[in-house]
Amino acid sequence: MARERQLSRRSLLGCAAATAGAAALTTTAAGPASAAAHRTVDVAIVGAGLAGLTAARDLVAAGKSVVVLEARDRVGGRVLGLSLAGGGVTEGGGEFIGPTQDRIKALADSLGVQTFATYNTGNNLLYKDGRRTPYATDGILGSVPPIDAAGLANAAIVQAKLDDLAKQIPVDAPWTAAKADEWDRQTFETWLRANAVIPSAKFLFDVACTSIFSAEPRELSFLFVLFYIAAAGNSANPGTLERLTETAGGAQELRFVGGSQLVPIKLAATLGDRVVLGAPVRTIARSGSNYVVTADGITVTAGKVVVAVPPPIAARITYDPLLPAARDQLTQRLPMASVGKAIAIYDTPFWRADGLNGQVVSDTGVISSTFDNSPPDASFGALMGFIEADEARRLDAASEAEVRAAVLKDYTTYFGAKAASPTSFVLQRWNNEAYTRGGPVSIAAPGVLTQYGPALREPVGGIHWAGTETSTYWMGFMDGAVRSGERVAKEVLAVL
């Protein structure tokens, strides 16, 4: 779900490939838990998202036996394709990749999943104070919305300050930064109020915050925000706020042909019946030098265990013996952010004829940011909007019809009367998804990283931790998930 912010439209060929891949995975590659009551392996992996599948790939390549236990009836975790009523697929989860996201790109390349550029031709839209303003993204300001001059000047200063402070954050241990205690005692909201002193500048950072984290500034530790910026890079390229927020040259630059779930589908297919679906893990218990992992319909005895699910979900497993208090309390303090995706499908991407690229920044409504998620051949039009933070929580209990009405009202405000009548509408509310309960990432409030951060990746006996939340680069993104799988495989191989 950073943001992974996420969703792709597929061409008919891409749709067919994805559907066929999913069918093959269900019927011939992965199997239901009832297919085998007990297995004994070197490593049991909990979770068949990108992290767990990547770890399994590397362990198998090293000659180790593995089983991957997945609670859902599909692979991919927070990467999800959604079927359209008229045929085809769109995406409800992790979607975009960009510069320095090297590991997800390498994985996709190895599986033959290609990328294409996110549609970014034409004007963005700013909707603020009831006024709709198109603006170019190739001028001196780039994609920065055209707010007042004082606000722009203030915003430039604040962005530069954030990038400079982020350079002081060790990505492998942000809690050891020289000013970690000071930064972890305040929220991002507190810091912004002291620095983004022009209201229009504060608006820009508020929108950036909800777009990146699917959380409000008041929910986030300032240290956590600085770490997230620092992590938006790689060992050769320091992270920047701009790389998090931009389309061209940023984290939203590319999408996958056929949709991002093709990556885990194809990866799982290489693992065959090592992947077991419909097997939520209930207990992980030590038994002599091994561990017994009990899931619905299957029990696995393994020398080591990799837990590759979000921290709040990992906390719902019963561990015997109990986890150390620091690890357990860490998971209690890393809630999922709040996000949904609403995708309206049209016969054509009509906004392009109006010179618009489908990207909106708004100060009102259910949807405050949108993307053109049409397939690369533009065989149909797709507008994707994020429902985030306070708005997502407000609508958690609303009916789909109520959400649809609110979303289409916003789309009509932004793109005109044609937006009111889509041919199809799909909605993915991660807050209500049983084995995720939010997204795109777990977030840290003040005090969490400095008090509990060291427990994030520290193994507990033979139990090791993976998932995008454990990544040192691109936490919250698909790339971070892949990196975590690669890291944990090396970690486990070193002790097997």
Side-chain angles (χ1 to χ4, degrees):
M1 283 168 208
R3 319 306 210 192
E4 285 150 264
R5 272 72 186 66
Q6 312 157 307
L7 265 149
S8 301
R9 301 313 177 262
R10 308 175 189 225
S11 64
L12 293 179
L13 179 62
C15 291
T19 303
L25 178 64
T26 301
T27 58
T28 63
S34 58
H38 184 270
R39 297 193 196 182
T40 299
V41 293
D42 294 319
V43 185
I45 298 173
V46 182
L50 286 167
L53 294 173
T54 298
R57 174 203 64 180
D58 290 358
L59 290 166
V60 169
K64 304 303 178 182
S65 58
V66 306
V67 64
V68 183
L69 301 172
E70 171 55 50
R72 302 173 176 89
D73 61 359
R74 63 172 181 83
V75 299
R78 284 167 270 184
V79 178
L80 171 64
L82 299 172
S83 297
L84 299 176
V89 179
T90 187
E91 287 187 88
E95 172 180 3
F96 302 110
I97 69 170
T100 75
Q101 295 189 6
D102 313 310
R103 303 317 304 151
I104 180 63
K105 183 63 165 59
L107 174 60
D109 287 347
S110 74
L111 296 167
V113 181
Q114 298 180 334
T115 59
F116 69 103
T118 302
Y119 190 79
N120 199 39
T121 301
N123 290 330
N124 281 23
L125 284 176
L126 170 65
Y127 188 82
K128 188 174 185 297
D129 300 326
R131 182 180 177 184
R132 178 180 177 275
T133 305
Y135 64 99
T137 61
D138 56 359
I140 189 172
L141 298 178
S143 64
V144 178
I147 57 173
D148 57 278
L152 287 172
N154 187 197
I157 292 171
V158 171
Q159 179 168 322
K161 186 176 295 187
L162 286 168
D163 285 345
D164 285 345
L165 294 178
K167 291 175 183 176
Q168 302 177 37
I169 303 294
V171 293
D172 59 342
W175 46 88
T176 65
K179 294 187 177 180
D181 287 339
E182 174 187 336
W183 293 335
D184 206 29
R185 284 198 301 266
Q186 59 185 306
T187 65
F188 189 34
E189 174 72 18
T190 300
W191 188 87
L192 283 176
R193 286 181 179 272
N195 290 272
V197 295
I198 305 297
S200 56
K202 177 66 161 53
F203 155 74
L204 291 183
F205 289 102
D206 286 347
V207 172
C209 181
T210 55
S211 296
I212 294 167
F213 298 99
S214 295
E216 305 292 340
R218 67 174 185 275
E219 300 179 82
L220 304 173
S221 157
F222 184 50
L223 177 63
F224 177 71
V225 170
L226 292 178
F227 160 68
Y228 217 81
I229 295 170
N234 57 23
S235 58
N237 299 275
T240 66
L241 180 60
E242 183 178 33
R243 194 175 292 125
L244 282 169
T245 59
E246 289 295 312
T247 299
Q252 287 68 233
E253 183 173 71
L254 300 173
R255 294 163 53 203
F256 289 110
V257 177
S260 55
Q261 198 184 1
L262 277 182
V263 179
I265 286 173
K266 289 191 172 188
L267 179 54
T270 69
L271 296 168
D273 65 3
R274 298 179 184 90
V275 180
V276 181
L277 303 179
V281 170
R282 306 301 181 184
T283 63
I284 299 174
R286 184 138 200 171
S287 178
S289 61
N290 293 319
Y291 287 85
V292 177
V293 182
T294 304
D296 290 3
I298 183 171
T299 300
V300 178
T301 299
K304 304 295 179 185
V305 179
V306 171
V307 179
V309 297
I313 304 302
R316 297 179 183 183
I317 299 170
T318 298
Y319 299 86
D320 182 16
L322 292 175
L323 295 177
R327 170 68 198 186
D328 192 80
Q329 294 212 350
L330 171 74
T331 61
Q332 294 177 40
R333 289 163 170 81
L334 285 179
M336 300 300 287
S338 301
V339 69
K341 279 188 159 183
I343 308 97
I345 307 299
Y346 304 90
D347 289 333
T348 64
F350 61 85
W351 50 91
R352 297 183 183 181
D354 296 329
L356 302 175
N357 62 17
Q359 296 175 44
V360 171
V361 174
S362 176
D363 68 349
T364 190
V366 170
I367 301 290
S368 60
S369 64
T370 68
F371 282 87
D372 179 333
N373 268 31
S374 310
D377 62 1
S379 55
F380 59 86
L383 280 175
M384 182 274 288
F386 291 109
I387 308 173
E388 300 178 294
D390 285 351
E391 289 297 328
R393 290 185 284 268
R394 185 175 67 82
L395 293 172
D396 279 343
S399 69
E400 183 163 336
E402 291 171 325
V403 177
R404 172 188 166 115
V407 168
L408 293 182
K409 180 177 181 292
D410 288 345
Y411 288 177
T412 302
T413 297
Y414 305 147
F415 298 104
K418 291 180 182 179
S421 303
T423 59
S424 181
F425 183 88
V426 288
L427 178 67
Q428 174 66 21
R429 289 188 277 186
W430 287 99
N431 292 13
N432 296 338
E433 207 280 341
Y435 296 106
T436 308
R437 301 316 303 265
V441 67
S442 295
I443 55 175
V448 175
L449 289 181
T450 49
Q451 291 299 307
Y452 304 99
L456 188 60
R457 287 183 296 275
E458 182 67 27
V460 176
I463 302 174
H464 300 254
W465 312 102
T468 191
E469 283 82 4
T470 70
S471 186
T472 54
Y473 286 108
W474 289 110
M475 174 187 178
F477 291 76
M478 292 184 287
D479 189 73
V482 174
R483 288 175 187 271
S484 79
E486 293 173 339
R487 183 264 307 160
V488 83
K490 293 176 183 177
E491 187 177 283
V492 170
L493 287 170
V495 295
L496 273 175

